[in-house]
Amino acid sequence: MDSGRTIVHMDLDSFFVSVERLYDSRLNGKPILIGGSGDRGVVASCSYEARKFGVHSAMPMRTARQLCPEALIIRGDFEKYSQKSHEITEIIREEVPLFEKSSIDEFYIDYTGMDRFFGCFKMAKELRERILKESGLPISLGLSENKTVSKVATGEAKPNNAKEVPRGTEKPFLAPLSVRKIPMIGEKTSLTLYNMGVKTVRTLQVMPAELLEATFGKNGLSIWEKANGIDRSPVTPYSEAKSISSENTFEQDTIDVKMLEANLIAMTEQLAGKLRQKQQLTACVSVKIRYSDFDTHTVQQRIPYTSADHNLIKTVKELFKKLYTRRLLIRLIGVRFSHLVHGSYQINLFEDTEEQIRLYQALDRLNGKYGDKTVCRAVGMQVGRRRFNPFNGVAV
């Protein structure tokens, strides 16, 4: 019996643009840019018509406008995109035994073992057709024995198509492609590889794994494995977290407002980092206080979808000032983010600048590598590190 896996990757094509075109057919066939309209904004998504001019997502909007001056610029509506993503998620949930939602517009499906009853590629294509028919959104898929090869196959199938990589043909499928096609090889890594004379995956495949490890550290071995079509990562069952929160019960009740605000900022920073790590956004912020007499009060506020510290801290501080009216000793404070949806910081903050996006990416890399609060706001440094429980979404 064949013990190999069967993994499908599905990706909605130019998702934000496709949703906008559902609501306004006049946008069909035209170059579209979605993102911040200011000179310092970034492109969140762009149509294939705009890509022909060299435009790509995460590009500064001013550069995109120079490359494609006739492009139509749309501010974007994350609430609308989230709703369409939810519709597709529910279709997939009804149809498959196990799936992972890796972002707002991207899914992995594990069809392992289903081949004994049905053809997996046939099932995957039928699911794709159902999504296309019921949602009206174009979607591409790739099928292979692992997540990496399936994701690359999806990219080769686009736009609005499907591609199967039969078991045993992973290496020859990947060999002629550019190294940039391999997930986790970004601009800096590819530049280093180009300087080493490595431009195609074929060259990576025959290089000693030790050389890549010496050049890129532990990531070097992962790059070598992916280039050779090796990826053992499982499809992680999808479950929608409703909220994440953090609370702090003080050893001694306090009325020190500066210390209370420092705790709130530290908790907000940590929770916002967790949102970005899990590629989630929040649209509702709550602050909770419990006085020394155990009288407890909570206030919440709806906000535009975000996972950015500077937006969330501002809201948390405003809510705390609104809530803390009794001037009594406080026993406990807490912060909670709810109305969570999938979506990364980079593609959502339509009006934020390239510099802010890069700042958060750098912060998350450092804190991810060296631990929470390696880099944080000075006001939060006096607050001890807080452990995060991944099972209930609560920091303690």
Side-chain angles (χ1 to χ4, degrees), residues 167-354:
R167 190 168 287 116
T169 67
E170 295 84 8
K171 283 183 69 172
F173 162 69
L174 295 169
L177 303 177
S178 164
V179 292
R180 284 299 301 269
K181 299 276 185 161
I182 299 294
M184 84 178 285
I185 295 185
E187 191 175 338
K188 289 184 179 177
T189 303
S190 63
L191 188 60
T192 304
L193 289 169
Y194 293 161
N195 290 335
M196 295 168 66
V198 181
K199 293 186 177 179
T200 66
V201 177
R202 180 181 285 107
T203 311
L204 271 179
Q205 290 174 342
V206 298
M207 288 177 71
E210 295 78 15
L211 175 58
L212 288 169
E213 195 169 10
T215 307
F216 299 106
K218 63 181 180 181
N219 285 339
L221 186 57
S222 296
I223 290 171
W224 184 87
E225 288 185 338
K226 288 177 185 294
N228 281 278
I230 301 167
D231 180 3
R232 304 173 190 85
S233 59
V235 172
T236 307
Y238 174 69
S239 60
E240 193 85 63
K242 296 288 190 287
S243 66
I244 59 171
S245 61
S246 179
E247 292 184 353
N248 189 8
T249 302
F250 301 109
E251 290 183 9
Q252 289 188 322
D253 298 348
T254 181
I255 200 169
D256 185 339
V257 173
K258 285 190 176 180
M259 189 267 281
L260 291 167
E261 284 198 349
N263 273 266
L264 287 169
I265 289 169
M267 287 189 281
T268 303
E269 279 188 313
Q270 189 199 35
L271 291 175
K274 297 300 176 186
L275 285 178
R276 295 192 296 273
Q277 186 182 61
K278 295 161 74 175
Q279 289 198 310
Q280 290 182 313
L281 304 160
T282 179
C284 187
V285 176
S286 306
V287 173
K288 171 182 175 181
I289 61 173
R290 179 171 294 149
Y291 292 104
S292 54
D293 61 0
F294 284 85
D295 187 22
T296 305
H297 296 266
T298 304
V299 64
Q300 67 179 35
Q301 182 177 320
R302 286 296 300 264
I303 58 171
Y305 282 103
T306 188
S307 60
D309 298 5
H310 66 278
N311 291 334
L312 293 166
I313 287 170
K314 180 172 179 282
T315 304
V316 166
K317 289 172 74 173
E318 287 171 355
L319 290 176
F320 175 68
K321 285 175 183 174
K322 187 186 296 184
L323 193 61
Y324 186 36
T325 56
R326 292 182 62 193
R327 299 301 178 228
L328 294 178
L329 289 169
I330 287 181
R331 174 184 176 83
L332 172 150
I333 56 171
V335 177
R336 179 171 175 264
F337 300 152
S338 56
H339 295 74
L340 305 185
V341 297
H342 271 269
S344 68
Y345 175 83
Q346 178 177 317
I347 61 172
N348 177 59
L349 290 184
F350 299 112
E351 292 299 339
D352 269 13
T353 65
E354 186 183 8

Side-chain angles (χ1 to χ4, degrees), residues 1 94 130 151 199 234 303 305 337 396:
M1 186 180 294
E94 289 175 14
R130 182 185 167 190
K151 184 178 175 70
K199 293 186 177 179
I303 58 171
Y305 282 103
F337 300 152
V396 293

Side-chain angles (χ1 to χ4, degrees), residues 12-28:
L12 289 149
D13 299 341
S14 299
F15 178 50
F16 293 176
V17 173
S18 298
V19 173
E20 293 296 339
R21 285 173 168 169
L22 270 184
Y23 290 90
D24 187 352
S25 61
R26 293 173 299 177
L27 300 176
N28 292 341

